[in-house]
Amino acid sequence: QSALTQPASVSGSPGQSITISCTGTSSDVGSYNLVSWYQQHPGKAPKLMIYEGSKRPSGVSNRFSGSKSGNTASLTISGLQAEDEADYYCCSYAGSSPVFGGGTKLTVL
Amino acid sequence: QVQLVQSGSELKKPGASVKVSCKASGYTFTSYAMNWVRQAPGQGLEWMGWINTNTGNPTYAQGFTGRFVFSLDTSVSTAYLQISSLKAEDTAVYYCARDYDSSGYYLLPWGQGTLVTVSS
């Protein structure tokens, strides 16, 4: 399967909101409400931030939210903080296998 | 707390084999499947497959058949990834990651990663 399409980079200032898009097809993002988002700081393991499109695991800040429209899922981070600077990966399912997006580097200015 | 601890970095020559371990703690090992994910230097995440920790049955993603083997030792709550006939392009960080819930669609927690470097 092809990787999901994410912008290579996004940036924002502290306190602002940013949105990262994740575009797939009708065979993955568009077919299932199974999109997840992972945050990865440099040299660290990824961490699940959003699952089932919009749910947050325990302990994840409510500044993180997810949504979907058609074949595109989105991750929105409100009230940007310096600690949010990281790589973000979306993930969806195509059949029985997960496929990741190429990743988006978030820079907090 | 739920935790996955992986074995340390490895430096191997082309053609050699490597076995990465992933020791689980804080939960019943056989209650959740274990996944493996590869991240090449400077690249994104690539799902390699998963292993049913109840039955030991592995499922490999496309591109990870033949040289890659998932295994378990349930007596010590540990999953293993073995890669044989190593190539330079196998150089990557390898992560184990537990299923977050019974749906099997999400990964949490993750191990800290094991860097495997293949170089002559």
Side-chain angles (χ1 to χ4, degrees), chain B residues 29-30 32-34 50-60 69-74 78-80:
Chain B
F29 182 68
T30 52
Y32 298 87
M34 191 68 74
W50 66 285
I51 184 166
N52 184 317
T53 53
N54 255 316
T55 65
N57 184 49
T59 298
Y60 300 98
V69 176
F70 306 149
S71 61
L72 305 170
D73 185 343
T74 56
T78 300
Y80 301 94

Side-chain angles (χ1 to χ4, degrees), chain A residues 1 33-36 38 40 44-48 51-53 57-58 89 93 96-98 100-102, chain B residues 35 37 39 43-47 50 61-62 95 100-101 103-113:
Chain A
Q1 302 100 349
N33 192 30
L34 298 174
V35 175
S36 52
Y38 295 86
Q40 186 179 33
K44 300 295 187 182
K47 175 187 174 184
L48 179 66
Y51 68 102
E52 279 184 34
S58 174
Y89 294 90
Y93 271 74
S96 59
S97 301
F100 287 97
Chain B
N35 298 260
V37 177
Q39 187 170 37
Q43 302 299 309
L45 304 172
E46 191 174 15
W47 183 73
W50 66 285
Q62 270 188 325
Y95 293 100
Y100 172 57
D101 57 19
S103 74
Y105 294 125
Y106 313 108
L107 307 177
L108 181 71
W110 294 55
Q112 82 276 21

Side-chain angles (χ1 to χ4, degrees), chain A residues 59-103:
Chain A
V60 173
S61 170
N62 59 9
R63 297 186 299 104
F64 292 82
S65 61
S67 62
K68 190 185 85 166
S69 177
N71 296 337
T72 298
S74 299
L75 172 71
T76 297
I77 308 174
S78 60
L80 266 182
Q81 299 179 0
E83 68 211 47
D84 299 332
E85 185 161 294
D87 293 326
Y88 291 84
Y89 294 90
C90 63
C91 181
S92 183
Y93 271 74
S96 59
S97 301
V99 59
F100 287 97

